[in-house]
Amino acid sequence: MENKKLTTASGRPYVEHENTQSAGPRGPLLLQDYILHEKLAHFNRERIPERVVHAKGSGAFGTFTVTHDISKYTRAKLFNEIGKQTRVFLRFSTVGGEKGSADSERDPRGFAVKFYTEDGNFDLVGNNTPIFFIKDPKKFPDFIHTQKRDPYTNLKSATMVWDFWSLNPESLHQVMILMSGRGTPFSYRHMNGYGSHTMSFINKDGERFWVKFHFKTAQGIKNFTDAEAAEMKSKDMDHAQRDLLEAIDRGEFPKWNVKVQIMPEAEAKTYHINPFDLTKVWPHGDYPLHDVGVLELNQNPDNYFADVEQSAFAPAHVVDGIGYSPDKMLQGRLLSYPDAHRYRLGANYEQIPVNRCPFAVNNYQRDGAMRVDGNGGRNPNYFPNSFDNIKPDPSYKEPAQELDSIIADWYDRNAPGEDDHYSQPGKLFREVMTEEQRLETVSNIVGAMSGITGPKRAEIINRQLCHFFRADIELGMRVAQGLGVTGIENMMSGMHGQQTTVSVQ
Ligand code: NDP
């Protein structure tokens, strides 16, 4: 092993690293022992702000390999040749818990992939669920507050959670998935990922398609029951981090089959479901899955903080051949994700190695805290100029996009035509779940709703029960029975706008 000198951060060799300089063996310390100050001062600054959401996470590097030709839908270079490989970094996470919280919490899981492509980094910032609780980004801070701690008790609060969900019926679909076994995955390796948002593909003829990404786990879906998840919480708070790290260290590289659903641009106008509503899926019967490739994770980061904690994903980071859509949640995230990174990591967060594009980056952005890439050296810092030859490339232009309307207003997200919050969760319960899964889901709902307390308890339970009944009568009945609610007939007439007089114990 090579001998190395221990040095300060500025490179000055240490003569002593364990004893602070003092006036006599038992005397006070000398202020001039700079090494002590440097050590303590840096230590005090080791923590950066934790992410407001998705604070607890795990990540790994890997490769994406194209297995099928989708060039008729997209000209994106990462898909342009069967067998082509692109390096990726994937960060998994829970959503609501703090950085030290348990991996086995009932929560959606983040599934954020960064593809390092020759046209720039493409970030697909998804979850393990194909949908989300809300469809307008203005609701996000309110929603997340309910998933965090009560301002008075500093405790997690089932009352806040169900109050919000019951007042926002568009959340029902995601609530059903969250309350199913998939709300507590056995590990990050054993769950699907979904891009969730509708994105767009643009082909070489300038045609636009709407697209949804699916990552199907090759390890198979495996979930904890509620009891197993609770047990794991007390046994190993970090079990998902441990599972991923150890599997990759053993050479058992987890894989996901990458697939897409494709909708021709014009069909969005006539399709009976709003294809840009993040609370809805596109049923496979209407839009089947097309195979694209395989994503494999095969390299653990050498240093957790450097790569996992400092990784920063933004749905705004697309590449030629992939674009945005009018999905309102996506539109909100285009702004808020890079904004979060600039706050948390600084204006130059894209220079951190895990975030840095490994291919050419040329622009006139300069300065800012922690500028570490040479800052453009002596080259011009303005455009246009007479000295360099850096130019925009119009061949990357997206086709013009026709908008639905040019009348700006605050449109009700749940206006008639946008208010079917019930068909898809109903179908999930009736047609997709097995009886065993239905029983488990109801039991999880009853367990979670039993935590609602306080003077508004009956009101919140009534309101949420109405949503379950609207999705599926059997679902509503089973949850009501589980909660010991009586007077169901009145509840059902209440669903049609009349006063409800059910009795909640
Ligand atoms: P399909 O029968 O073609 O597909 C059902 C889908 O449900 C499969 O993708 C399956 O995933 C997934 N699934 C099974 N159990 C659960 C669960 N507990 N939580 C979440 N997803 C689950 O039906 P449709 O496409 O017509 O959709 C029917 C319903 O299935 C939807 O209303 C939605 O609730 C749910 N769903 C649909 C998806 C879609 O993109 N169309 C995606 C995920 C869910 P897998 O094959 O990996 O087991």
Side-chain angles (χ1 to χ4, degrees):
M1 199 186 298
E2 186 197 350
N3 272 341
K4 289 183 186 170
K5 281 185 187 145
L6 187 67
T7 70
T8 62
S10 61
R12 171 183 156 201
Y14 281 7
V15 288
E16 163 57 52
H17 190 240
E18 292 174 282
N19 301 297
T20 303
Q21 205 175 26
S22 55
R26 296 187 179 184
L29 303 184
L30 297 189
L31 193 60
Q32 67 176 11
D33 194 343
Y34 168 72
I35 287 161
L36 171 72
H37 302 303
E38 182 182 271
K39 267 185 102 171
L40 295 184
H42 192 276
F43 176 72
N44 285 346
R45 290 162 180 77
E46 280 183 1
R47 295 291 167 272
I48 58 174
E50 73 172 34
R51 295 167 172 87
V52 179
V53 282
H54 297 272
K56 177 82 188 285
S58 304
F61 293 96
T63 46
F64 166 70
T65 308
V66 178
T67 55
H68 291 73
D69 180 10
I70 56 164
S71 57
K72 67 178 170 177
Y73 303 117
T74 176
R75 63 190 186 212
K77 294 197 182 77
L78 83 148
F79 300 126
N80 70 0
E81 200 185 331
I82 292 179
K84 179 164 183 165
Q85 294 203 319
T86 300
R87 184 166 158 81
V88 300
F89 181 75
L90 201 165
R91 182 176 183 267
F92 305 100
S93 51
T94 54
V95 180
E98 295 90 359
K99 202 171 164 332
S101 59
D103 285 340
S104 63
E105 290 286 1
R106 182 170 301 285
D107 208 1
R109 302 294 189 268
F111 193 104
V113 193
K114 191 180 287 293
F115 298 80
Y116 301 95
T117 93
E118 63 214 81
D119 266 343
N121 292 348
F122 166 45
D123 291 353
L124 196 65
V125 195
N127 276 329
N128 70 331
T129 62
I131 50 160
F132 198 59
F133 298 94
I134 51 174
K135 50 174 148 170
D136 189 304
K138 220 181 228 182
K139 290 206 150 274
F140 192 72
D142 297 298
F143 166 62
I144 291 300
H145 286 172
T146 72
Q147 305 294 303
K148 297 275 184 180
R149 292 173 185 276
D150 177 278
Y152 171 58
T153 62
N154 198 35
L155 300 169
K156 294 280 182 97
S157 163
T159 307
M160 293 202 302
V161 165
W162 289 98
D163 193 26
F164 182 89
W165 286 342
S166 65
L167 289 167
N168 292 278
E170 66 268 35
S171 62
L172 184 68
H173 197 186
Q174 176 80 322
V175 169
M176 287 298 293
I177 294 179
L178 181 67
M179 291 296 150
S180 78
R182 294 193 186 197
T184 47
F186 175 80
S187 81
Y188 292 135
R189 295 183 296 136
H190 293 87
M191 62 184 207
N192 294 337
Y194 302 89
S196 306
H197 292 295
T198 298
M199 303 294 290
S200 53
F201 269 168
I202 293 139
N203 69 14
K204 59 182 176 341
D205 299 324
E207 293 171 303
R208 180 181 280 109
F209 300 85
W210 305 117
V211 59
K212 281 191 182 287
F213 284 89
H214 299 248
F215 297 74
K216 297 274 195 177
T217 171
Q219 290 68 242
I221 296 273
K222 201 168 161 190
N223 301 314
F224 285 132
T225 63
D226 210 39
E228 287 166 346
E231 193 190 335
M232 184 52 81
K233 214 154 117 177
S234 57
K235 242 168 55 187
D236 183 359
M237 302 265 284
D238 307 312
H239 80 94
Q241 161 75 13
R242 197 180 313 282
D243 174 88
L244 181 70
L245 184 91
E246 291 181 354
I248 294 175
D249 275 348
R250 284 195 304 272
E252 269 175 48
F253 300 144
K255 292 187 179 62
W256 284 263
N257 296 311
V258 184
K259 295 161 190 279
V260 288
Q261 288 179 290
I262 304 275
M263 180 186 290
E265 183 174 18
E267 278 179 31
K269 289 197 177 67
T270 52
Y271 188 49
H272 67 103
I273 297 166
N274 175 356
F276 309 117
D277 176 346
L278 187 57
T279 65
K280 307 281 188 299
V281 296
W282 298 354
H284 294 124
D286 295 342
Y287 295 98
L289 295 170
H290 299 267
D291 291 318
V292 180
V294 175
L295 185 147
E296 176 188 274
L297 296 181
N298 46 32
Q299 186 194 340
N300 280 317
D302 282 337
N303 185 283
Y304 179 89
F305 181 88
D307 292 335
V308 186
E309 195 58 14
Q310 296 195 107
S311 62
F313 301 84
H317 296 165
V318 291
V319 291
D320 184 49
I322 302 172
Y324 311 136
S325 85
D327 175 338
K328 291 180 181 176
M329 289 295 292
L330 171 65
Q331 295 272 322
R333 294 175 86 203
L334 298 182
L335 179 82
S336 68
Y337 274 56
D339 182 52
H341 305 324
R342 287 179 198 118
Y343 160 68
R344 187 170 170 265
L345 301 165
N348 291 313
Y349 74 94
E350 289 179 87
Q351 291 173 27
I352 297 172
V354 66
N355 301 324
R356 192 170 55 213
C357 170
F359 300 92
V361 174
N362 301 304
N363 58 48
Y364 299 93
Q365 293 169 15
R366 294 290 187 275
D367 307 351
M370 301 304 294
R371 185 89 202 193
V372 293
D373 68 343
N375 201 26
R378 6 176 120 181
N379 301 319
N381 59 0
Y382 60 94
F383 178 90
N385 68 68
S386 311
F387 304 98
D388 69 20
N389 197 23
I390 302 173
K391 300 220 164 44
D393 181 348
S395 70
Y396 282 81
K397 188 177 173 298
E398 283 192 14
Q401 190 182 337
E402 188 189 335
L403 301 179
D404 267 3
S405 164
I406 50 162
I407 302 170
D409 206 342
W410 287 272
Y411 292 98
D412 179 0
R413 69 195 189 287
N414 292 335
E418 302 287 346
D419 57 349
D420 179 3
H421 317 301
Y422 307 106
S423 302
Q424 293 198 347
K427 191 172 180 201
L428 175 67
F429 185 74
R430 269 187 313 275
E431 297 175 28
V432 177
M433 289 184 183
T434 61
E435 177 57 10
E436 194 185 339
Q437 290 168 336
R438 282 191 283 267
L439 289 170
E440 182 188 10
T441 303
V442 168
S443 159
N444 292 337
I445 292 172
V446 170
M449 288 184 75
S450 300
I452 304 173
T453 56
K456 296 284 182 185
R457 180 170 186 271
E459 183 185 317
I460 295 170
I461 289 181
N462 279 350
R463 201 165 45 224
Q464 186 64 37
L465 276 177
C466 284
H467 300 318
F468 288 132
F469 271 108
R470 283 188 169 104
D472 186 274
I473 300 280
E474 182 66 24
L475 167 66
M477 293 293 275
R478 290 189 190 186
V479 175
Q481 272 164 11
L483 289 168
V485 175
T486 55
I488 301 299
E489 293 71 21
N490 292 333
M491 156 82 59
M492 290 172 69
S493 58
M495 287 164 46
H496 304 291
Q498 296 160 29
Q499 198 62 36
T500 61
T501 53
V502 294
S503 166
V504 179
Q505 302 305 309

